[in-house]
Amino acid sequence: YSDETGLSACKTAPAGSKPNAMRTGVTDCPAGRFSVGGATSCAECKPGETSDAGAAGCRPCLTCGLGEYQIAECTADTETRCVDCVAGKASMGGAVSECTSCDGPGEYSEAKASVCKIAPAGYKPKVAGDDGLKTGTEICPKNTYSIGAADDCTDCSDGGHSNPGESSCE
């Protein structure tokens, strides 16, 4: 291209751009395309890659991290979009489209969890809201117990007693 009059040689388009249609200047490659420089056109990113406008190359698409799930796949011109798991759900990330509920016996999780946790002895999962998600733990009250990994505290049998947070009755 030539953006000045009287030059004895044409200029080379820099990386991330191509000559404009009249070859009187350069324009950035659009998102999803790239140029390493010296090219007359911008090349497309391959599947699984993306680029921003003016890119000298494409990059691999991001994958969702631990405690996240994917709400939009990566395309040549847009990056993968991920959202955090809410408390009571978990995800190992990647290309999963939803987080898994922590609904096994004694399971619970905080927000952005990669795995569900298990309520320890003397505790049970705390159920929050109308959706029934188990978002933490709460201590077993007086005269109940839990050996752990249970959704409920068990009442002490007749004549038995316990302090809050116990794993057995006396």
Side-chain angles (χ1 to χ4, degrees), residues 11-150:
K11 295 180 179 179
T12 302
S17 65
K18 64 174 184 162
N20 63 25
M22 301 295 292
R23 300 212 183 274
T24 57
V26 294
T27 58
D28 282 347
C29 293
R33 295 180 167 267
F34 72 98
S35 167
V36 294
T40 58
S41 63
C42 299
E44 285 187 50
C45 293
K46 295 177 188 171
E49 295 181 334
T50 189
S51 74
D52 298 322
C58 298
R59 63 184 179 276
C61 295
L62 295 176
T63 56
C64 296
L66 297 174
E68 297 178 335
Y69 67 100
Q70 183 175 292
I71 60 169
E73 287 186 38
C74 175
T75 65
D77 60 354
T78 59
E79 189 55 85
T80 305
R81 290 192 4 224
C82 304
V83 175
D84 292 346
C85 295
V86 297
K89 296 188 175 194
S91 167
M92 291 299 291
V96 296
S97 60
E98 63 183 333
C99 298
T100 303
S101 290
C102 296
D103 54 12
E107 289 185 340
Y108 71 96
S109 76
E110 291 93 11
K112 199 171 169 43
S114 59
V115 294
C116 298
K117 294 180 180 180
I118 302 292
Y123 291 82
K124 68 176 186 170
K126 179 181 180 181
V127 177
D130 295 334
D131 54 13
L133 293 176
K134 298 183 279 184
T135 61
T137 60
E138 56 186 68
I139 195 166
C140 288
K142 182 178 180 178
N143 296 328
T144 66
Y145 71 97
S146 169
I147 60 171

